[in-house]
Amino acid sequence: MSHHEHDAQHDAQHDARHGARHGARHGARHGAGGPRPDRPGDPTGGAGPAPSARPRRHVRRAVAATAVVTLACGALAGWLFWRAADGPAPGEDHRALPAARASDRTGAGTDGRTDDRPPGPARGAREGRLSGRIVVIDPGHNPGNFRHSTDINQLVDIGTNRKECDTTGTETEDGYTEAAFTRDVSQRLRTLLEKEGAKVVLTHEEGERAFGPCIDERARIGNTAKADAVISVHADGSAEGHRGFHVILPGKVTSGGADTTAIVGPSRQLGEHVVAAFARATGSGRANYLGSGTGLDVRTDLGGLNLSTVPKVFVECGNMQDSQDAALLANGDWRQKAALGIAEGLRAFLAP
């Protein structure tokens, strides 16, 4: 019933039933749960004695309008509180109240951070993270070495003694060669590093030379480039059952033309970063046949390390003579993970 209809009916019936009717109507409109604020001491919720004089129409309308506004404001406030606490009702369009974005919250940036630290580099900025850095990648062996056995068997000085210029490397039972593996991973690694701004030098490009280079020349290429880091990519040729990867570090050598004193420490740091990142990226375990589970092996008999004057490590990505490791090494998707792992290790070393 509208407020105007209520007033007309109330006027027509007022003389006969004013007291009782007014109390009943007041109770129905305002509820019987307690006294009105402007009528203390009326425990019946409006059913007490009738007023001694009839109020004027405009006063009643003002009171009614005030009550309606008050009730409406109260209802609106309650509804807003309920929506904030419980969300939209079942079946209601949830898009009506979109969730706040992380960037809308106090102190939150576009990456969802809620503290005062500066945000990390954006994807585009990350591409220049290695800008100004020089990395030399040494793909182990050469596919042409098989055809140049006389050349690669020539001895060269490695500081501690003399060794063959190079070797053919190992292969899987299916004939997938270490030289093919190292070239593939090295190319993938170069792409990743160049994308981040590094200057990358390979010790030999595909089809560039018939064999080699020899191990002393490989070391010299990194030294001449004044590389910030050198990675020599390999795969091992151990026995069946010997699984996992490892990183070879230079030991201290101070004889002949070799002196690794200055690079032993930084090379270990590089190797530790590569081990951690390679394990994360590939899911492979550290070698179970050397290094006592550390994934690290220190050697003083490798010319490529002995003759280096810049931080350098060898990465033996797996064992080609183990059938399970061989299946991984022959898989292109896994080789991409291997390249990613090495790249992440380099990044951690060069741009911590």
Side-chain angles (χ1 to χ4, degrees), residues 13-79:
Q13 297 174 342
H14 178 269
D15 291 339
R17 295 178 291 178
H18 170 71
R21 183 61 177 248
H22 180 79
R25 288 172 63 82
H26 175 79
R29 289 182 60 189
H30 297 284
R36 282 177 50 179
D38 60 339
R39 294 185 65 182
D42 181 6
T44 64
S52 58
R54 176 183 171 188
R56 290 158 53 181
R57 288 172 62 91
H58 69 275
V59 173
R60 290 199 311 276
R61 289 180 178 178
V63 171
T66 300
V68 169
V69 171
T70 301
L71 288 172
C73 291
L76 178 60
W79 180 81

Side-chain angles (χ1 to χ4, degrees), residues 33 56 61 84 114 123 198 242 318:
R56 290 158 53 181
R61 289 180 178 178
T114 56
R123 184 181 298 273
H242 289 180

Side-chain angles (χ1 to χ4, degrees), residues 113-350:
R113 297 160 70 97
T114 56
D115 54 21
D116 294 328
R117 293 176 298 164
R123 184 181 298 273
R126 186 176 180 181
E127 293 184 356
R129 189 171 175 183
L130 296 181
S131 179
R133 296 294 194 171
I134 300 172
V135 178
V136 171
I137 303 173
D138 178 27
H141 312 287
N142 184 321
N145 283 358
F146 289 97
R147 296 184 294 273
H148 294 271
S149 57
T150 301
D151 297 306
I152 65 173
N153 284 328
Q154 297 296 317
L155 299 181
V156 298
D157 185 8
I158 66 166
T160 54
N161 54 42
R162 295 176 66 81
K163 262 184 122 170
E164 294 85 357
C165 159
D166 204 0
T167 64
T168 59
T170 187
E171 62 182 25
T172 67
E173 290 298 318
D174 294 334
Y176 182 51
T177 66
E178 182 182 359
F181 169 82
T182 63
R183 175 159 291 174
D184 180 85
V185 172
S186 295
Q187 295 286 0
R188 295 171 187 266
L189 177 58
R190 173 165 64 179
T191 299
L192 293 170
L193 296 176
E194 287 181 341
K195 187 176 181 180
E196 296 194 33
K199 177 184 177 181
V200 179
V201 177
L202 263 65
T203 57
H204 59 105
E205 298 280 357
E206 184 173 3
E208 180 182 56
R209 54 195 306 161
F211 66 93
C214 295
I215 54 179
D216 59 339
E217 184 180 353
R218 291 173 188 263
R220 193 160 51 248
I221 291 171
N223 298 342
T224 302
K226 293 180 169 49
D228 295 293
V230 180
I231 294 284
S232 190
V233 181
H234 286 266
D236 207 359
S238 190
E240 177 74 35
H242 289 180
R243 297 203 60 198
F245 72 94
H246 66 280
V247 173
I248 303 175
L249 311 176
K252 187 174 180 179
V253 175
T254 56
S255 61
D259 186 353
T260 61
T261 304
I263 70 165
V264 166
S267 294
R268 174 170 284 274
Q269 293 175 8
L270 171 60
E272 289 173 347
H273 283 302
V274 172
V275 165
F278 195 92
R280 286 194 304 268
T282 64
S284 294
R286 296 159 174 81
N288 63 7
Y289 57 98
L290 50 72
S292 301
T294 64
L296 298 171
D297 185 30
V298 179
R299 291 177 63 173
T300 58
D301 63 329
L302 298 176
L305 295 179
N306 289 358
L307 299 174
S308 181
T309 59
V310 294
K312 181 175 182 177
V313 298
F314 281 36
V315 183
E316 298 282 359
C317 298
N319 177 20
M320 285 195 147
Q321 293 297 302
D322 177 79
S323 57
Q324 295 183 67
D325 272 11
L328 296 175
L329 297 168
N331 182 281
D333 290 340
W334 188 91
R335 292 196 298 272
Q336 182 65 22
K337 294 178 183 178
L340 283 168
I342 298 172
E344 289 173 5
L346 281 163
R347 188 187 307 119
F349 175 70
L350 297 174

